[in-house]
Amino acid sequence: MEISFHNNMFSLLLLLLPSLSFSPSAWAACNAVDKEALLGFKRTITADPSRLLQSWISSTDCCTSWKGVACNSVGRVVNVTRSGLVSDDDDLLDTFMNGTLSPSLGNLSYLQLLDLSNLKNLNGPIPPEFGKLRRLTHLFLNSNQLTGSIPATFKHLSRLERLFLNNNHISGIIPFSVIGSLTALTELGLSENQLRGSIPATIGKLVLLTKLDLHANNISGSLPTTIGKLKSLKYLDLSQNTIKGSIPKSIGGLSALVLLDLNQNQITGSIPSSISGLISLQFCRISENKMTGSLPPSIGHLPSIQRLILENNKLTGKLPATMGHLVTLTELFLSNNRITSKIPSSFSNLQNLQTLDLSRNHLSGELPTELAKLQNLQTLDLSFNPLGLVSIPKWFAKLKLFRLMLAKTGIRGSLPRWLSSTSISTLDLSDNALTGKLPRWIGNMTSLSLLNLSNNGLHSSIPAEFKNLRRLMDLDLHSNKFSGNLDTIFSKGTDDPIGHYNSIDLSDNMFAGPINDSVLQSSAMDSITSLVLSYNLLKGSIPKSIRKLSELRILKMVSNGLSGKIPVELGDAMGLTTILLSRNNLMGSIPGKVINLNELKEFDVSHNQLRGEIPPHKAIIPVSSFIGNPGLCGAPLPPCERS
């Protein structure tokens, strides 16, 4: 045991050598060329608020006294680490530097690691002199403001293992010669730049590569077939580019791949059957592309897959029954495609499935009752499919759903009572043919945070039990036949810190007013951002208490039979971007404080009885927003007549 302990201590000392300081008697003093190279960099830094370079003084030894600098036994600098994320005792200090990268750093001929990441404000190009750093194994320049292109001289960095230039403003193409030469690379991060052109075919030479991240650039062209040679690759993120063409069959050779992200490109063609070769794949996202064809049966042979995201494409055909083999799957997103036929009963084998989103497809036929076995399912979205459900299947009550979305699936009749004993937090049954009253038992659905019953045929007033929905934050009842006043909705309880409304849409109903000034001051309303009440029978005046809705962005009260003046207090809701008050009986003038709200983008008071001169305003508001008020004048209407 004692020998083992001493061996471990010796190993630990070896690991710590680069960061420890030694007396000149034990180690050679800092090489003069290296010291001058580092001082040359310091001279190009114009701001260093956390004094990361304060210890870099010419009168001291750079190997023993300069923070972030480590040397070898002969006094040559091998490590320079001055990142903007600095560990300071137990805290992590986040700082920055202003300035540029000095070409003099290229003279550090023994340098193995250079970390100037996360300094935020380093700008200008990467000096081509960095190509002289032939011993460099790690280069981190990410999260700065660097510009220009990747230097062609990087092709000389044959020992480079990790290269991160992500989150800068680097442009130009990815040089073919550079990529083909960096054969020691294990990790390459070039994401969040302005790189263009195609991915070099020479990428296939980087056989040691485990991570390739090029997301959020302007990369075009097609995926090179040589990408299939990267047998060690575990992480491939090419999302948010403009890559075209089809996915090459060779991708099936990436047996070590754990993450594949091709989201937001312009990829066409079908998913190759070779996808079954991705035996380590856990995360696959090929959403928001232009993929066509049907899902290959081989997609059911991904033994490690957990998240499969293929939404927003043009996929057709049936759901393969083999997908029932994906027993490790936790999330499946296939929404907004053109998939047809029934949901296979084999989906009942997906015992770990938590999210199933098949919305916006062409699915039809009876839902298999076997899906009741999916006891881990939390989110089910079948919205906008011609399922012709007629009623929500009773076996749904056996599921432990938090989110249920069945918009436009052919549901008719009244709301099923079994909903009252669920823990559903999101319920969307919009665009169906629901009828009858909003039942009193709705108050038992105390977990509800979002309720959307819009575009149905529901009637009645809102029952008093609605006040029990203390967690409800988004309510959409538009385009029904609801009646009565709004007090119950506006003054419902809250369950702090949740239950405060984000949005309410009650438009196109038969709600009656006037709006009680005090209910708008309830705690449920204090953080609302969108309030849409148009096309009801509210009458009365616009409540002055709207001024208290400090988070309000959207206010729509079109054709409500409102009278009185536009309250000047409306101008106290400083965040308003949209104010629509057309087709009412409003009188008086337009308050300058309201029409000059800083964030105002859309304003419409047409077809009222307003009078006077339109106040000068900054927002661009069309003539159509003021017409139908015979007493109004001034830009953009004709000028007022002066007596």
Side-chain angles (χ1 to χ4, degrees), residues 4 56 99 106 110 133 139 196 211 274 306 442 512 563 568 605:
S4 174
W56 292 20
Y110 281 76
L133 303 174
L139 178 58
R196 54 181 173 78
K211 178 175 181 176
S274 61
Q306 295 176 18
I442 196 75
S563 56
V568 67
V605 291

Side-chain angles (χ1 to χ4, degrees), residues 467 486-494 501 519 522-525:
K467 289 191 175 185
L486 304 176
D487 291 7
T488 305
I489 294 174
F490 290 165
S491 60
K492 76 163 189 73
T494 60
Y501 282 120
V519 296
S522 72
S523 60
M525 298 293 289

Side-chain angles (χ1 to χ4, degrees), residues 261-334:
D261 196 345
L262 302 176
N263 180 54
Q264 284 188 44
N265 278 286
Q266 297 177 24
I267 296 170
T268 54
S270 57
I271 295 172
S273 58
S274 61
I275 194 171
S276 58
L278 304 180
I279 56 174
S280 303
L281 195 64
Q282 296 177 20
F283 178 96
C284 178
R285 184 165 66 166
I286 318 179
S287 50
E288 296 185 56
N289 279 281
K290 299 177 180 180
M291 300 200 69
T292 55
S294 55
L295 296 172
S298 60
I299 204 169
H301 303 294
L302 296 172
S304 305
I305 195 70
Q306 295 176 18
R307 302 180 67 193
L308 183 57
I309 306 168
L310 303 174
E311 60 194 2
N312 297 318
N313 278 288
K314 299 177 181 179
L315 298 170
T316 56
K318 300 178 180 180
L319 293 169
T322 54
M323 292 184 76
H325 298 151
L326 303 178
V327 293
T328 56
L329 198 62
T330 60
E331 296 181 5
L332 177 59
F333 293 90
L334 284 168

Side-chain angles (χ1 to χ4, degrees), residues 114-219:
L114 177 59
D115 184 356
L116 299 175
S117 63
N118 258 298
L119 291 169
K120 288 80 170 174
N121 294 339
L122 278 186
N123 57 71
I126 301 171
E129 287 81 1
F130 277 28
K132 296 190 294 181
L133 303 174
R134 309 249 174 146
R135 289 181 170 86
L136 201 63
T137 60
H138 294 71
L139 178 58
F140 305 121
L141 299 175
N142 49 292
S143 301
N144 284 294
Q145 304 287 331
L146 299 175
T147 55
S149 58
I150 299 171
T153 56
F154 270 29
K155 67 183 179 183
H156 301 304
L157 305 180
S158 58
R159 297 187 189 182
L160 205 57
E161 296 172 12
R162 301 175 71 196
L163 173 60
F164 285 91
L165 305 177
N166 44 295
N167 195 16
N168 279 288
H169 302 295
I170 296 169
S171 56
I173 63 168
I174 303 172
F176 281 53
S177 60
V178 169
I179 293 300
S181 302
L182 304 182
T183 53
L185 268 186
T186 61
E187 297 185 10
L188 176 59
L190 302 177
S191 62
E192 297 180 86
N193 279 292
Q194 297 161 20
L195 294 167
R196 54 181 173 78
S198 57
I199 299 170
T202 50
I203 198 81
K205 294 183 178 181
L206 309 187
V207 294
L208 301 179
L209 206 60
T210 62
K211 178 175 181 176
L212 177 59
D213 188 357
L214 304 178
H215 84 266
N217 277 287
N218 299 315
I219 294 169

Side-chain angles (χ1 to χ4, degrees), residues 234-493:
K234 294 181 179 180
Y235 182 107
L236 177 59
D237 189 350
L238 305 177
S239 61
Q240 299 176 61
N241 281 289
T242 56
I243 297 169
K244 299 179 176 67
S246 57
I247 298 173
K249 293 178 181 178
S250 62
I251 203 165
L254 304 181
S255 57
L257 199 64
V258 174
L259 180 145
L260 173 63
D261 196 345
L262 302 176
N263 180 54
Q264 284 188 44
N265 278 286
Q266 297 177 24
I267 296 170
T268 54
S270 57
I271 295 172
S273 58
S274 61
I275 194 171
S276 58
L278 304 180
I279 56 174
S280 303
L281 195 64
Q282 296 177 20
F283 178 96
C284 178
R285 184 165 66 166
I286 318 179
S287 50
E288 296 185 56
N289 279 281
K290 299 177 180 180
M291 300 200 69
T292 55
S294 55
L295 296 172
S298 60
I299 204 169
H301 303 294
L302 296 172
S304 305
I305 195 70
Q306 295 176 18
R307 302 180 67 193
L308 183 57
I309 306 168
L310 303 174
E311 60 194 2
N312 297 318
N313 278 288
K314 299 177 181 179
L315 298 170
T316 56
K318 300 178 180 180
L319 293 169
T322 54
M323 292 184 76
H325 298 151
L326 303 178
V327 293
T328 56
L329 198 62
T330 60
E331 296 181 5
L332 177 59
F333 293 90
L334 284 168
S335 66
N336 201 23
N337 279 288
R338 300 169 184 177
I339 298 168
T340 57
S341 194
K342 297 173 63 174
I343 299 172
S345 58
S346 62
F347 272 39
S348 62
N349 297 326
L350 307 179
Q351 296 294 308
N352 289 302
L353 199 62
Q354 297 174 19
T355 300
L356 177 59
D357 186 353
L358 303 175
S359 62
R360 299 180 188 277
N361 278 287
H362 303 310
L363 296 169
S364 59
E366 192 172 347
L367 298 178
T369 57
E370 293 90 340
L371 295 182
K373 296 178 184 178
L374 301 180
Q375 289 298 295
N376 285 310
L377 196 64
Q378 298 177 13
T379 298
L380 176 60
D381 192 349
L382 303 176
S383 298
F384 300 99
N385 279 290
L387 290 168
L389 289 182
V390 181
S391 62
I392 305 174
K394 289 184 179 179
W395 57 262
F396 272 37
K398 298 178 182 178
L399 298 172
K400 300 167 185 175
L401 295 172
F402 293 147
R403 290 170 286 275
L404 175 61
M405 286 79 86
L406 296 172
K408 204 169 186 179
T409 51
I411 300 169
R412 299 178 177 276
S414 56
L415 290 166
R417 191 180 182 97
W418 59 261
L419 285 170
S420 66
S421 56
T422 66
S423 297
I424 290 174
S425 66
T426 296
L427 180 63
D428 185 352
L429 301 177
S430 60
D431 293 276
N432 281 296
L434 291 169
T435 54
K437 298 180 178 182
L438 188 65
R440 294 185 180 277
W441 53 253
I442 196 75
N444 296 336
M445 299 186 70
T446 52
S447 296
L448 273 179
S449 64
L450 182 151
L451 177 62
N452 188 349
L453 300 175
S454 63
N455 270 311
N456 279 287
L458 296 166
H459 62 86
S460 79
S461 57
I462 305 300
E465 290 79 0
F466 185 91
K467 289 191 175 185
N468 297 333
L469 304 183
R470 302 176 65 88
R471 297 188 172 193
L472 189 66
M473 294 186 289
D474 292 280
L475 176 65
D476 191 348
L477 301 179
H478 85 261
S479 302
N480 279 283
K481 299 175 183 176
F482 288 113
S483 57
N485 63 45
L486 304 176
D487 291 7
T488 305
I489 294 174
F490 290 165
S491 60
K492 76 163 189 73

